[in-house]
Amino acid sequence: KVDISTKYQKGFWERIGCHARGRVKYNERWAPQAGLVWTFLSNANKLMLMVFGQEIGTRMMQNSGYYLGFFVDTIKTTLHLSDTST
């Protein structure tokens, strides 16, 4: 299903803290309000790969990304927070 909208809506990664543009040249990897959290999570992922190996570590990262997105959306809905365009 394709929905066409005239209003900007954040995608999955933008909703959970990644920068909307993500230009590495300008240090736009993370959205300003989420930088510290994502830096910590990025380092935790590196540690998981070192400890559990590539196959298990990759599966853990995929599943944790899904649940993190679900958690963020649930919190936003519960607190009645809305996404704003950048």
Side-chain angles (χ1 to χ4, degrees), residues 1-83:
K1 179 180 176 185
V2 176
D3 292 322
I4 299 176
S5 175
T6 58
K7 182 178 126 181
Y8 173 77
Q9 294 178 325
K10 292 184 177 183
F12 173 80
W13 291 107
E14 290 82 12
R15 287 194 326 266
I16 62 172
C18 291
H19 196 283
R21 288 180 297 278
R23 297 177 295 186
V24 175
K25 178 179 175 180
Y26 299 108
N27 197 26
E28 294 178 340
R29 186 172 184 187
W30 316 120
Q33 70 278 14
L36 290 175
V37 172
W38 275 102
T39 298
F40 170 79
L41 291 173
S42 175
N43 289 329
N45 282 338
K46 290 176 189 173
L47 180 61
M48 273 196 302
L49 288 172
M50 286 178 17
V51 171
F52 298 107
Q54 186 70 34
E55 186 176 339
I56 293 173
T58 299
R59 287 183 190 161
M60 290 172 69
M61 285 189 286
Q62 291 169 341
N63 290 328
S64 64
Y66 169 80
Y67 288 111
L68 179 61
F70 177 79
F71 176 74
V72 168
D73 286 343
T74 301
I75 294 297
K76 284 184 174 183
T77 300
T78 302
L79 298 177
H80 304 290
L81 301 175
S82 62
D83 290 330

